[in-house]
Amino acid sequence: MTQTAAEREEPVGSPPQDLSGEQLRWMYRRMLLIREFENTAQIRFEAGEIAGFLHLSQGQEAVPVGTCAALREGDTITSTHRGHGDVIAKGCDVKRMFAELYGRTTGYCKGKGGSMHIADFSQGIIGANGIVSGGLPIALGAALSCQMRNTDHVTVCFFGDGATAEGGFHEALNLSTLWQVPLIFVCQNNLYGLSQPWEETAFQCDLPERARTYHMPAECVDGMDVITVYGAVARAVNRARRGEGPSFIEAKTYRFLGHYVGDPATYMDQEEREGWRKRDPIPRLGRQLREWGYLTDEEAAQIRAEVEEELQAGIEFAKSSPKPPAADALSDVYVHFDHHGEPR
Amino acid sequence: MREITYREALREALREEMERDETVFLMGEDIADPFGSAYKVTLGLSPQFGTERVRQTPISEQGFVGAGVGAAVTGMRPVVEIMYIDFATMAMDQIANQAAKLRYMSGGQAKVPLVIRTQGGPGRSSAAQHAQSLEAWFAHIPGLLVAMPSTPYDAKGLLKTAIRLDDPVVFIEQKLLYNTEGPVPEEEYTLPFGEADVKREGSDCTVVATSMTVLKALKAADILEREGISVEVVDPRTLFPLDIETITASVCKTSRVVVTHEAVERCGFGAEIVAQIAQTAFGYIDAPIQRVCAPSVPPPFAQHMEAFTMIDEHKIADRVRRLVTGEL
């Protein structure tokens, strides 16, 4: 891999005490997998192979990966329309994700959900959501469920800055502290709600300050630094598992591309874009790992080759998977009835 | 058989299901004692089950209905109460986009065993934001089941079933029905969704009625009986699934049909019933299909204006009489 400006500019710092080389390499690999998954999806979308909307998150990978590194089996996440990174970080297999994007039977949602609605309930991924802020009250309920079932599981609610002006945001924050549920709000603030700069959406734009008015610990972290994100989320998860209620984390990050594939993002300032690209979280971690002796150039090349192979296999899996019969559109509406209301 | 009120029947259903299954819990505004909810259905449940399981919420419909969705897909069986069906507007994303869609969008992974109890209907001068009948909104959304019981017996049996189903149910009560009494057995029973009930048999005309209008249709049948007109009253009990077979069987027998509900006529659920009858029983119908529904205006406040818009036995009887005598 070539050295970028970011690798020269960002300080390396010292290795974190609470993360092993194996964990750090997992983070590196997972971020790269997300990045290349989305790059591949973009190419296939532009080639006309994938339908619908594709909301990409290149640049934001450190947030879901740092977050999910602090979770364990049995924990739950909700995600958003820009959710590929969140669900891959939690454990989704890119084969079945590509299959979903291609609308195949082997996709996570058997072709009924697509890019915006990937879910894997077996891994606690209870759905990416096409409605901005729609996942916040649902995450509240999942966390309430963790509490009422007397588990020490936690729920992470991923959402964007765009959700913070919605009523559901306020209601979920308020109820989460009222009930002291094990919930971690992770706001991926990528600075834009579609085309609107985030600072134009509220008079009071200090999100942790807003969260603290509901009496929960809150902090703003560098969302381009996976280790920092991990640290903040791990602290919040520990509090939640101890029964100390919800926390709020704002991870400042950046969407390298437009709102969806096809959006030229003319509303984004060129200098701003270049500045954030220099802070790309993936080469940054790569350089740190090399400096700390956790990754050789050969290993980095090996990881990249593995990721590319995995994605290639994923595309082949998706393309060779059968399309569901069109009439499959009529199933999965109810558990107990067909779509006419006849008992199943 | 003992007689209890519609309210008591609903409370018994909640109590029995909470005793049977510890994942069943209640959420809603003002539902804990001493207030015990706006129409007192949950009165007495919080002392028995505690305020964890009879969980009072702030005025936050989107928040607590959404919490119900999230809890339902992760192993609980929440029963949330929206105090007035008019307030469901505040939670429509969670009802129509989330609860109704999660199973489908996830390719059949999600189960959403959520019951949304609410109540609607006019009759207490509650005016335009506390007296609507919005059942058609919910029946229109694929993914939701809709129940609308008219009697204490149906209310208890259907609510117990609703709680046990793994699909989201909008369970619509009626504010004037809470004090009505009817026979309810002491022993355990449930009622299936998708099974209409013939509340009264007759031969000259079928009246398909829901919720409060079932009671009005039965009174209309009494009036008309004295005039020699025999009316059959069919209550679908659940709007989805809809037992169209029982309805059309009745229509085929009587050859005339009047559909009545408290909701406004335009795009009301009656339009769906009428369309299905026309599609499946057209050749058996001897007279134009009729609807007796509220005029398409918001519920007014003043008692005489509200009464003017409401469905009563005389409006139903008048329409049936004219239909049977060939005036229509």
Side-chain angles (χ1 to χ4, degrees):
Chain A
M1 292 173 85
T2 54
Q3 291 261 306
T4 67
E7 290 175 298
R8 288 189 297 276
E9 284 171 14
E10 293 292 337
V12 170
S14 43
Q17 299 301 302
D18 53 346
L19 284 167
S20 67
E22 193 185 340
Q23 286 171 302
L24 289 162
R25 278 193 298 275
W26 178 87
M27 288 177 169
Y28 180 76
R29 191 186 191 288
R30 215 71 191 169
M31 286 200 291
L32 193 64
L33 184 65
I34 295 168
R35 172 70 55 86
E36 295 306 327
F37 172 85
E38 294 206 308
N39 286 342
T40 306
Q42 182 177 1
I43 291 164
R44 303 294 176 163
F45 183 89
E46 285 168 344
E49 293 177 17
I50 294 170
F53 286 112
L54 205 57
H55 303 91
L56 301 178
S57 66
Q58 287 102 328
Q60 302 182 198
E61 297 87 349
V63 186
V65 170
T67 299
C68 291
L71 299 182
R72 64 184 190 213
E73 203 179 323
D75 296 335
T76 307
I77 68 163
T78 63
S79 180
T80 72
H81 61 288
R82 201 178 306 289
H84 301 147
D86 304 344
V87 302
I88 293 174
K90 185 67 167 66
C92 273
D93 180 347
V94 295
K95 271 162 88 172
R96 294 189 61 200
M97 287 186 61
F98 276 132
E100 186 59 32
L101 267 50
Y102 276 81
R104 304 302 166 103
T105 52
T106 52
Y108 274 108
C109 312
K110 301 190 293 191
K112 291 200 173 83
S115 165
M116 282 193 281
H117 302 299
I118 291 176
D120 183 358
F121 278 72
S122 71
Q123 297 196 75
I125 300 163
I126 62 170
N129 207 304
I131 305 295
V132 171
S133 92
L136 280 106
I138 295 174
L140 166 73
L144 176 64
S145 173
C146 296
Q147 184 189 61
M148 291 187 78
R149 289 181 289 113
N150 295 315
T151 70
D152 69 346
H153 299 148
V154 304
T155 301
V156 163
C157 178
F158 287 113
F159 58 101
D161 48 289
T164 63
E166 287 273 17
F169 171 83
H170 161 79
E171 295 193 28
L173 264 66
N174 183 50
L175 287 166
S176 72
T177 45
L178 183 67
W179 294 339
Q180 290 295 297
V181 293
L183 178 56
I184 299 99
F185 293 98
V186 177
C187 178
Q188 307 197 41
N189 185 352
N190 66 13
L191 313 188
Y192 289 88
L194 210 166
S195 73
Q196 189 176 37
W198 152 78
E199 63 269 18
E200 291 176 13
T201 63
F203 185 74
Q204 200 288 79
C205 281
D206 184 336
L207 292 177
E209 192 56 34
R210 220 189 284 177
R212 280 191 284 268
T213 64
Y214 296 95
H215 275 257
M216 71 179 86
E219 60 182 309
C220 178
V221 300
D222 179 2
M224 306 305 268
D225 178 359
V226 68
I227 295 169
T228 299
V229 172
Y230 168 82
V233 175
R235 287 190 293 278
V237 166
N238 286 338
R239 283 193 296 271
R241 292 205 204 284
R242 288 197 302 263
E244 293 171 20
S247 299
F248 185 97
I249 293 160
E250 177 194 20
K252 279 268 175 59
T253 181
Y254 198 73
R255 196 183 75 202
F256 286 170
L257 301 171
H259 170 62
Y260 43 64
V261 178
D263 170 16
T266 47
Y267 47 83
M268 288 166 122
D269 178 71
Q270 202 52 38
E271 210 171 302
E272 175 191 271
R273 294 177 85 165
E274 283 163 16
W276 280 95
R277 274 193 180 273
K278 286 180 186 165
R279 308 193 57 239
D280 192 325
I282 300 173
R284 177 176 178 169
L285 181 64
R287 185 164 75 97
Q288 287 172 314
L289 295 187
R290 286 190 197 87
E291 291 273 333
W292 298 333
Y294 289 140
L295 189 72
T296 64
D297 286 350
E298 279 171 2
E299 284 167 335
Q302 173 73 19
I303 287 173
R304 174 164 286 278
E306 283 169 12
V307 163
E308 281 169 7
E309 197 177 319
E310 188 173 342
L311 294 169
Q312 187 55 40
I315 289 285
E316 279 162 23
F317 173 79
K319 285 182 155 183
S320 64
S321 291
K323 288 182 182 172
D328 273 13
L330 306 180
S331 64
D332 295 326
V333 185
Y334 298 95
V335 175
H336 301 288
F337 303 95
D338 71 11
H339 74 292
H340 293 299
E342 292 297 324
R344 289 175 59 199
Chain B
M1 196 186 296
R2 67 172 180 156
E3 297 222 339
I4 61 172
T5 64
Y6 189 87
R7 172 186 297 111
E8 288 162 343
L10 291 163
R11 189 184 298 144
E12 279 191 359
L14 294 171
R15 176 176 284 130
E16 288 174 15
E17 292 308 296
M18 290 180 80
E19 284 170 346
R20 187 185 61 80
D21 181 349
E22 63 180 16
T23 66
V24 177
F25 73 104
L26 315 183
M27 274 194 290
E29 294 154 6
D30 307 292
I31 64 171
D33 281 19
F35 191 72
S37 76
Y39 288 92
K40 308 303 170 200
V41 171
T42 57
L43 190 69
L45 297 180
S46 67
Q48 182 179 353
F49 297 103
T51 50
E52 289 281 303
R53 289 182 70 198
V54 182
R55 182 172 289 261
Q56 189 146 310
T57 70
I59 302 165
S60 187
E61 286 86 1
Q62 181 178 177
F64 73 75
V65 174
V69 176
V73 297
T74 54
M76 302 296 286
R77 307 190 83 85
V79 181
V80 303
E81 176 177 315
I82 297 179
M83 192 187 285
Y84 285 77
I85 199 168
D86 316 69
F87 308 165
T89 51
M90 303 300 290
M92 278 310 266
D93 173 55
Q94 289 299 329
I95 301 170
N97 287 325
Q98 312 297 344
K101 307 283 197 298
L102 278 175
R103 179 168 184 79
Y104 190 79
M105 291 193 304
S106 66
Q109 293 179 61
K111 288 180 181 171
V112 191
L114 170 68
V115 179
I116 299 168
R117 281 186 50 244
T118 187
Q119 60 79 28
R124 292 188 56 168
S125 275
S126 310
Q129 296 170 339
H130 288 72
Q132 294 175 86
S133 302
L134 301 176
E135 62 272 14
W137 289 10
F138 304 101
H140 186 65
I141 302 291
L144 298 177
L145 304 176
V146 181
M148 250 188 131
S150 65
T151 67
Y153 177 80
D154 292 350
K156 182 175 179 183
L158 289 171
L159 183 54
K160 284 170 69 82
T161 301
I163 292 169
R164 296 180 192 190
L165 289 173
D166 288 328
D167 293 311
V169 176
V170 179
F171 193 93
I172 304 172
E173 301 155 15
Q174 210 281 3
K175 53 177 72 64
L176 295 185
L177 287 177
Y178 287 121
N179 286 331
T180 60
E181 292 190 347
V184 174
E186 303 265 2
E187 349 25 285
E188 162 90 25
Y189 72 99
T190 60
L191 291 174
F193 274 44
E195 222 169 79
D197 188 36
V198 177
K199 296 292 188 196
R200 177 185 174 123
E201 293 194 5
S203 55
D204 295 324
C205 182
T206 298
V207 175
V208 182
T210 53
S211 189
M212 177 54 90
T213 61
V214 173
L215 277 61
K216 305 297 182 189
L218 290 170
K219 282 187 181 172
D222 285 339
I223 294 169
L224 293 165
E225 185 178 36
R226 295 194 285 272
E227 301 172 19
I229 297 171
S230 168
V231 174
E232 180 147 306
V233 178
V234 182
D235 176 0
R237 299 196 290 195
T238 57
L239 304 191
F240 192 85
L242 179 67
D243 178 5
I244 195 65
E245 287 80 11
T246 298
I247 293 169
T248 49
S250 173
V251 173
C252 291
K253 183 175 79 173
T254 63
S255 76
R256 298 179 189 91
V257 61
V258 172
V259 178
T260 179
H261 55 56
E262 290 192 302
V264 302
E265 183 167 279
R266 185 170 71 224
C267 299
F269 193 74
E272 176 65 26
I273 295 175
V274 167
Q276 292 201 31
I277 292 169
Q279 283 173 321
T280 55
F282 186 75
Y284 294 88
I285 302 168
D286 289 343
I289 302 174
Q290 299 295 311
R291 281 188 287 173
V292 178
C293 308
S296 296
V297 298
F301 162 69
Q303 283 176 311
H304 68 291
M305 285 199 287
E306 185 181 46
F308 174 78
T309 65
M310 283 171 63
I311 307 307
D312 62 20
E313 56 271 31
H314 303 293
K315 288 178 183 172
I316 298 170
D318 178 62
R319 193 71 70 89
V320 171
R321 189 183 296 117
R322 292 198 287 145
L323 191 65
V324 171
T325 57
E327 276 182 55
L328 294 171

Short mmCIF file of all heavy atoms in Angstrom, two decimals, chain B residues 149-181:
data_model
loop_
_atom_site.label_atom_id
_atom_site.label_comp_id
_atom_site.label_asym_id
_atom_site.label_seq_id
_atom_site.Cartn_x
_atom_site.Cartn_y
_atom_site.Cartn_z
N PRO B 149 -63.57 -5.83 18.43
CA PRO B 149 -64.64 -6.59 19.08
C PRO B 149 -65.81 -5.71 19.50
O PRO B 149 -65.63 -4.56 19.85
CB PRO B 149 -63.94 -7.18 20.31
CG PRO B 149 -62.84 -6.21 20.61
CD PRO B 149 -62.37 -5.69 19.28
N SER B 150 -67.01 -6.32 19.46
CA SER B 150 -68.22 -5.57 19.82
C SER B 150 -68.82 -6.03 21.14
O SER B 150 -69.67 -5.33 21.69
CB SER B 150 -69.27 -5.72 18.71
OG SER B 150 -69.69 -7.07 18.60
N THR B 151 -68.42 -7.19 21.64
CA THR B 151 -69.04 -7.72 22.87
C THR B 151 -67.96 -8.09 23.88
O THR B 151 -66.80 -8.32 23.50
CB THR B 151 -69.85 -9.00 22.58
OG1 THR B 151 -68.93 -10.04 22.18
CG2 THR B 151 -70.88 -8.79 21.47
N PRO B 152 -68.32 -8.20 25.16
CA PRO B 152 -67.34 -8.64 26.16
C PRO B 152 -66.75 -10.01 25.81
O PRO B 152 -65.54 -10.22 25.96
CB PRO B 152 -68.17 -8.69 27.45
CG PRO B 152 -69.25 -7.68 27.24
CD PRO B 152 -69.58 -7.77 25.78
N TYR B 153 -67.58 -10.91 25.34
CA TYR B 153 -67.10 -12.26 25.01
C TYR B 153 -66.04 -12.20 23.90
O TYR B 153 -64.97 -12.80 24.00
CB TYR B 153 -68.30 -13.11 24.56
CG TYR B 153 -67.93 -14.51 24.12
CD1 TYR B 153 -67.69 -15.51 25.06
CD2 TYR B 153 -67.82 -14.84 22.77
CE1 TYR B 153 -67.35 -16.80 24.67
CE2 TYR B 153 -67.48 -16.12 22.36
CZ TYR B 153 -67.24 -17.10 23.31
OH TYR B 153 -66.89 -18.37 22.92
N ASP B 154 -66.36 -11.46 22.85
CA ASP B 154 -65.41 -11.34 21.74
C ASP B 154 -64.15 -10.60 22.18
O ASP B 154 -63.03 -10.94 21.78
CB ASP B 154 -66.05 -10.59 20.56
CG ASP B 154 -67.17 -11.39 19.91
OD1 ASP B 154 -67.34 -12.58 20.24
OD2 ASP B 154 -67.90 -10.80 19.08
N ALA B 155 -64.34 -9.56 23.00
CA ALA B 155 -63.20 -8.76 23.44
C ALA B 155 -62.18 -9.62 24.17
O ALA B 155 -60.97 -9.56 23.90
CB ALA B 155 -63.68 -7.62 24.33
N LYS B 156 -62.67 -10.45 25.09
CA LYS B 156 -61.74 -11.27 25.87
C LYS B 156 -61.07 -12.33 25.00
O LYS B 156 -59.85 -12.49 25.01
CB LYS B 156 -62.46 -11.94 27.04
CG LYS B 156 -61.51 -12.75 27.90
CD LYS B 156 -62.15 -13.34 29.15
CE LYS B 156 -61.10 -14.15 29.90
NZ LYS B 156 -61.66 -14.82 31.09
N GLY B 157 -61.88 -13.02 24.24
CA GLY B 157 -61.32 -14.12 23.44
C GLY B 157 -60.36 -13.64 22.37
O GLY B 157 -59.34 -14.29 22.09
N LEU B 158 -60.66 -12.51 21.78
CA LEU B 158 -59.78 -11.99 20.72
C LEU B 158 -58.52 -11.37 21.30
O LEU B 158 -57.44 -11.48 20.70
CB LEU B 158 -60.53 -10.97 19.85
CG LEU B 158 -61.61 -11.53 18.94
CD1 LEU B 158 -62.42 -10.40 18.31
CD2 LEU B 158 -61.01 -12.41 17.83
N LEU B 159 -58.63 -10.72 22.47
CA LEU B 159 -57.42 -10.12 23.04
C LEU B 159 -56.44 -11.20 23.48
O LEU B 159 -55.23 -11.08 23.29
CB LEU B 159 -57.78 -9.18 24.21
CG LEU B 159 -56.59 -8.44 24.83
CD1 LEU B 159 -55.79 -7.66 23.79
CD2 LEU B 159 -57.07 -7.49 25.94
N LYS B 160 -56.96 -12.27 24.03
CA LYS B 160 -56.06 -13.36 24.43
C LYS B 160 -55.34 -13.95 23.20
O LYS B 160 -54.14 -14.22 23.23
CB LYS B 160 -56.84 -14.46 25.18
CG LYS B 160 -57.16 -14.05 26.61
CD LYS B 160 -58.13 -15.00 27.29
CE LYS B 160 -57.55 -16.36 27.59
NZ LYS B 160 -56.74 -16.37 28.84
N THR B 161 -56.08 -14.08 22.12
CA THR B 161 -55.45 -14.57 20.89
C THR B 161 -54.43 -13.58 20.37
O THR B 161 -53.32 -13.95 19.96
CB THR B 161 -56.52 -14.84 19.82
OG1 THR B 161 -57.43 -15.80 20.33
CG2 THR B 161 -55.91 -15.33 18.52
N ALA B 162 -54.80 -12.29 20.38
CA ALA B 162 -53.90 -11.25 19.88
C ALA B 162 -52.55 -11.32 20.60
O ALA B 162 -51.48 -11.21 19.97
CB ALA B 162 -54.53 -9.88 20.07
N ILE B 163 -52.60 -11.53 21.91
CA ILE B 163 -51.37 -11.56 22.70
C ILE B 163 -50.52 -12.78 22.34
O ILE B 163 -49.30 -12.74 22.36
CB ILE B 163 -51.71 -11.52 24.21
CG1 ILE B 163 -52.30 -10.15 24.57
CG2 ILE B 163 -50.48 -11.82 25.07
CD1 ILE B 163 -52.91 -10.06 25.96
N ARG B 164 -51.18 -13.86 21.96
CA ARG B 164 -50.44 -15.10 21.65
C ARG B 164 -49.92 -15.14 20.21
O ARG B 164 -49.05 -15.95 19.89
CB ARG B 164 -51.34 -16.31 21.90
CG ARG B 164 -51.72 -16.44 23.36
CD ARG B 164 -52.60 -17.64 23.60
NE ARG B 164 -53.17 -17.59 24.94
CZ ARG B 164 -53.81 -18.59 25.51
NH1 ARG B 164 -53.99 -19.72 24.85
NH2 ARG B 164 -54.30 -18.45 26.73
N LEU B 165 -50.46 -14.31 19.33
CA LEU B 165 -50.01 -14.33 17.94
C LEU B 165 -48.62 -13.69 17.83
O LEU B 165 -48.27 -12.81 18.60
CB LEU B 165 -51.00 -13.56 17.05
CG LEU B 165 -52.35 -14.22 16.80
CD1 LEU B 165 -53.28 -13.28 16.05
CD2 LEU B 165 -52.19 -15.52 16.01
N ASP B 166 -47.88 -14.13 16.83
CA ASP B 166 -46.55 -13.58 16.58
C ASP B 166 -46.56 -12.44 15.57
O ASP B 166 -45.51 -12.00 15.12
CB ASP B 166 -45.61 -14.69 16.10
CG ASP B 166 -45.24 -15.64 17.23
OD1 ASP B 166 -45.15 -15.19 18.38
OD2 ASP B 166 -45.04 -16.84 16.96
N ASP B 167 -47.74 -11.99 15.18
CA ASP B 167 -47.87 -10.86 14.26
C ASP B 167 -48.40 -9.64 15.01
O ASP B 167 -49.14 -9.79 15.99
CB ASP B 167 -48.85 -11.21 13.13
CG ASP B 167 -48.31 -12.30 12.21
OD1 ASP B 167 -47.15 -12.18 11.77
OD2 ASP B 167 -49.05 -13.27 11.93
N PRO B 168 -48.06 -8.43 14.53
CA PRO B 168 -48.56 -7.24 15.22
C PRO B 168 -50.06 -7.06 15.01
O PRO B 168 -50.56 -7.21 13.90
CB PRO B 168 -47.77 -6.10 14.58
CG PRO B 168 -47.30 -6.62 13.27
CD PRO B 168 -47.16 -8.10 13.41
N VAL B 169 -50.74 -6.73 16.10
CA VAL B 169 -52.19 -6.58 16.07
C VAL B 169 -52.57 -5.17 16.53
O VAL B 169 -52.10 -4.71 17.56
CB VAL B 169 -52.87 -7.60 17.03
CG1 VAL B 169 -54.39 -7.37 17.06
CG2 VAL B 169 -52.54 -9.03 16.64
N VAL B 170 -53.41 -4.50 15.76
CA VAL B 170 -54.04 -3.26 16.22
C VAL B 170 -55.42 -3.67 16.74
O VAL B 170 -56.26 -4.16 15.98
CB VAL B 170 -54.14 -2.21 15.11
CG1 VAL B 170 -54.81 -0.94 15.62
CG2 VAL B 170 -52.75 -1.89 14.56
N PHE B 171 -55.59 -3.50 18.04
CA PHE B 171 -56.80 -4.00 18.71
C PHE B 171 -57.63 -2.78 19.11
O PHE B 171 -57.25 -2.02 19.99
CB PHE B 171 -56.36 -4.80 19.95
CG PHE B 171 -57.45 -5.63 20.56
CD1 PHE B 171 -57.62 -6.95 20.19
CD2 PHE B 171 -58.30 -5.08 21.52
CE1 PHE B 171 -58.62 -7.72 20.76
CE2 PHE B 171 -59.30 -5.85 22.09
CZ PHE B 171 -59.46 -7.18 21.71
N ILE B 172 -58.76 -2.61 18.40
CA ILE B 172 -59.50 -1.35 18.52
C ILE B 172 -60.78 -1.54 19.34
O ILE B 172 -61.69 -2.27 18.94
CB ILE B 172 -59.84 -0.79 17.12
CG1 ILE B 172 -58.55 -0.63 16.29
CG2 ILE B 172 -60.56 0.55 17.26
CD1 ILE B 172 -58.80 -0.26 14.84
N GLU B 173 -60.78 -0.88 20.49
CA GLU B 173 -61.96 -0.92 21.36
C GLU B 173 -62.81 0.33 21.09
O GLU B 173 -62.47 1.13 20.23
CB GLU B 173 -61.46 -0.98 22.82
CG GLU B 173 -60.59 -2.24 23.05
CD GLU B 173 -59.59 -2.11 24.20
OE1 GLU B 173 -59.74 -1.18 25.02
OE2 GLU B 173 -58.66 -2.94 24.26
N GLN B 174 -63.94 0.43 21.82
CA GLN B 174 -64.83 1.58 21.58
C GLN B 174 -65.20 2.16 22.94
O GLN B 174 -65.57 1.43 23.86
CB GLN B 174 -66.07 1.11 20.80
CG GLN B 174 -66.70 2.13 19.89
CD GLN B 174 -67.59 3.15 20.63
OE1 GLN B 174 -67.70 3.14 21.84
NE2 GLN B 174 -68.21 4.04 19.85
N LYS B 175 -65.12 3.48 23.06
CA LYS B 175 -65.24 4.09 24.39
C LYS B 175 -66.61 3.89 25.02
O LYS B 175 -66.72 3.84 26.24
CB LYS B 175 -64.85 5.58 24.32
CG LYS B 175 -65.59 6.41 23.27
CD LYS B 175 -65.20 7.88 23.31
CE LYS B 175 -63.83 8.22 22.82
NZ LYS B 175 -63.60 7.94 21.36
N LEU B 176 -67.67 3.75 24.23
CA LEU B 176 -69.00 3.55 24.81
C LEU B 176 -69.29 2.07 25.07
O LEU B 176 -70.29 1.73 25.68
CB LEU B 176 -70.08 4.13 23.89
CG LEU B 176 -70.06 5.64 23.69
CD1 LEU B 176 -71.25 6.09 22.85
CD2 LEU B 176 -70.03 6.38 25.02
N LEU B 177 -68.41 1.20 24.61
CA LEU B 177 -68.65 -0.23 24.85
C LEU B 177 -68.12 -0.68 26.22
O LEU B 177 -68.53 -1.72 26.72
CB LEU B 177 -67.99 -1.08 23.75
CG LEU B 177 -68.65 -1.05 22.38
CD1 LEU B 177 -67.84 -1.89 21.37
CD2 LEU B 177 -70.09 -1.58 22.44
N TYR B 178 -67.21 0.09 26.82
CA TYR B 178 -66.56 -0.39 28.05
C TYR B 178 -67.55 -0.77 29.15
O TYR B 178 -67.31 -1.68 29.92
CB TYR B 178 -65.58 0.66 28.57
CG TYR B 178 -64.31 0.77 27.74
CD1 TYR B 178 -63.94 1.97 27.15
CD2 TYR B 178 -63.49 -0.34 27.56
CE1 TYR B 178 -62.79 2.07 26.39
CE2 TYR B 178 -62.33 -0.25 26.80
CZ TYR B 178 -61.98 0.97 26.22
OH TYR B 178 -60.84 1.05 25.47
N ASN B 179 -68.68 -0.04 29.22
CA ASN B 179 -69.65 -0.33 30.28
C ASN B 179 -70.72 -1.33 29.87
O ASN B 179 -71.57 -1.67 30.69
CB ASN B 179 -70.32 0.97 30.74
CG ASN B 179 -69.38 1.81 31.58
OD1 ASN B 179 -68.50 1.28 32.26
ND2 ASN B 179 -69.56 3.12 31.53
N THR B 180 -70.69 -1.78 28.62
CA THR B 180 -71.71 -2.74 28.20
C THR B 180 -71.41 -4.11 28.80
O THR B 180 -70.26 -4.47 29.02
CB THR B 180 -71.78 -2.86 26.66
OG1 THR B 180 -70.49 -3.30 26.19
CG2 THR B 180 -72.12 -1.53 26.02
N GLU B 181 -72.48 -4.86 29.08
CA GLU B 181 -72.31 -6.16 29.72
C GLU B 181 -72.71 -7.29 28.78
O GLU B 181 -73.51 -7.08 27.86
CB GLU B 181 -73.18 -6.23 30.98
CG GLU B 181 -72.69 -5.30 32.07
CD GLU B 181 -73.39 -5.53 33.39
OE1 GLU B 181 -74.42 -6.23 33.42
OE2 GLU B 181 -72.88 -5.02 34.41
#
